């Protein structure tokens, strides 16, 4: 009984996952599932500089703030 239920649930789950991937897939287009747009290279460059620059500069700004505190 247990093995029959596990086989049925596995088959139903596998079919549901396959249908979800088949209907909600982006077709394998590179960059289609990214949360930002790749078509405008200058906007992408600006956002990357802001994102990476804020992450790399944060420890230095925090250290500077601590050193300047009275």
């Amino acid at each position: 009984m247990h093995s029959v239920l596990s086989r049925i649930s596995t088959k139903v789950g596998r079919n549901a996952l396959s249908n979800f991937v088949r209907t909600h897939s982006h077709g394998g287009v590179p960059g289609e599932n990214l949360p930002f747009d790749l078509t405008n290279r200058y906007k992408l460059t600006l956002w990357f500089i802001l994102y990476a620059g804020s992450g790399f500069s944060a420890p230095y700004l925090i250290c500077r703030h601590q050193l300047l505190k009275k």
Side-chain angles (χ1 to χ4, degrees):
M1 174 94 178
H2 180 67
S3 65
V4 172
L5 287 176
S6 70
R7 273 188 269 143
I8 290 172
S9 66
T10 303
K11 188 172 184 174
V12 167
R14 191 175 299 141
N15 287 341
L17 184 61
S18 296
N19 286 337
F20 178 77
V21 169
R22 191 177 301 122
T23 58
H24 294 91
S25 177
H26 292 290
V29 177
E32 185 68 28
N33 58 350
L34 294 175
F36 46 86
D37 191 22
L38 296 176
T39 56
N40 188 348
R41 72 165 33 164
Y42 301 109
K43 181 180 174 185
L44 177 64
T45 303
L46 177 69
W47 280 112
F48 179 76
I49 289 171
L50 290 173
Y51 178 75
S54 64
F56 289 131
S57 67
Y60 297 103
L61 294 175
I62 292 169
C63 184
R64 180 180 182 275
H65 172 71
Q66 291 295 325
L67 290 172
L68 292 177
K69 276 190 351 183
K70 290 188 177 185

